[in-house]
Amino acid sequence: MSLSIRNQLPGTVTAITRGEAMATVKVRLDGGQDITAAITADAVSDLGLTAGSAVRALVKSTEVSLATDAVEGVSIRNQLPGTVEGVAAGGAMASVRVTVEGGELTAAITKEAVTDLGLAPGSAVVTLIKSTEIALEAIR
């Protein structure tokens, strides 16, 4: 399957907590980091997800935020440290490539944010992704 979502990180489901309509799915990425995806309970069933299932976490680049350090006092639990590999800036927006353990993420942020954060190749950053913005693909 070809997708326009460029952020695709492989991992393994470690736990599933089902609610009436939604579920949280904890995933250990191949790089060793843990993330949480919030998906519908129906999607958990439709994908046949259980602990040990191989999955790919999918995140649109517009849903990846960047910080120059870990952020406390925020509801965003998915915080993956990384290093800026490249910045491609246009008139208003920029695409920032970040290497994280076991993969790479791209963040689409404003050009102003790149300047304000002082982002350049080699900069240490933390990627922030809301659990509701992570989709899962079952790998068979």
Side-chain angles (χ1 to χ4, degrees):
M1 169 177 19
S2 295
L3 299 171
S4 64
I5 298 174
R6 61 178 69 186
N7 295 317
Q8 302 183 22
L9 300 172
T12 304
V13 173
T14 58
I16 299 170
T17 303
R18 287 178 178 265
E20 189 171 321
M22 297 293 291
T24 56
V25 180
K26 297 204 179 288
V27 176
R28 169 78 37 93
L29 299 176
D30 285 0
Q33 316 92 318
D34 292 316
I35 63 167
T36 300
I39 63 175
T40 65
D42 287 344
V44 171
S45 297
D46 292 347
L47 294 171
L49 298 181
T50 61
S53 294
V55 295
R56 189 170 292 117
L58 309 170
V59 185
K60 291 174 54 175
S61 60
T62 53
E63 302 303 335
V64 177
S65 297
L66 299 177
T68 55
D69 205 352
V71 180
E72 294 184 24
V74 66
S75 63
I76 300 173
R77 297 293 179 237
N78 296 314
Q79 298 190 26
L80 304 176
T83 304
V84 173
E85 289 301 316
V87 178
M93 297 296 293
S95 178
V96 181
R97 284 188 357 265
V98 178
T99 298
V100 297
E101 285 293 324
E104 184 174 277
L105 290 169
T106 298
I109 62 174
T110 64
K111 184 177 166 182
E112 184 178 334
V114 170
T115 301
D116 289 350
L117 295 174
L119 301 180
S123 298
V125 293
V126 176
T127 61
L128 302 126
I129 308 164
K130 289 177 63 173
S131 59
T132 54
E133 301 305 330
I134 298 175
L136 296 176
E137 174 191 8
I139 301 172
R140 310 263 182 234

